[in-house]
Amino acid sequence: MGQASIVGRRIGRTRWSATSFKTFEGSAAFVISVVASAWLLRLCGIVEPFSTPRYVAAISIAAVLEALSMQNDNL
């Protein structure tokens, strides 16, 4: 989501590696925005109930895998 790029560029300080521009703060913004969006859809009755801890774990794993990739997916 776009929030990761915006937050990472504006307030991101802690880089995942010396060769990457991706930051922990951007990855955290990604996780928070995806979970918040899912909860909003759940509260509106658009999606079925889900296990929040399991959902957060899955999204966190996705964020780490994306952060460690060399791909620039913001194009």
Side-chain angles (χ1 to χ4, degrees), residues 14-61:
T14 311
R15 301 205 185 278
W16 279 95
S17 73
T19 60
S20 174
F21 289 106
K22 298 175 184 180
T23 65
F24 286 109
E25 294 85 357
S27 298
F30 168 76
V31 172
I32 291 167
S33 66
V34 170
V35 173
S37 297
W39 260 97
L40 180 62
L41 293 173
R42 181 178 177 179
L43 292 174
C44 292
I46 297 172
V47 298
E48 296 180 15
F50 54 87
S51 168
T52 301
R54 288 171 56 187
Y55 192 75
V56 169
I59 297 303
S60 297
I61 291 169

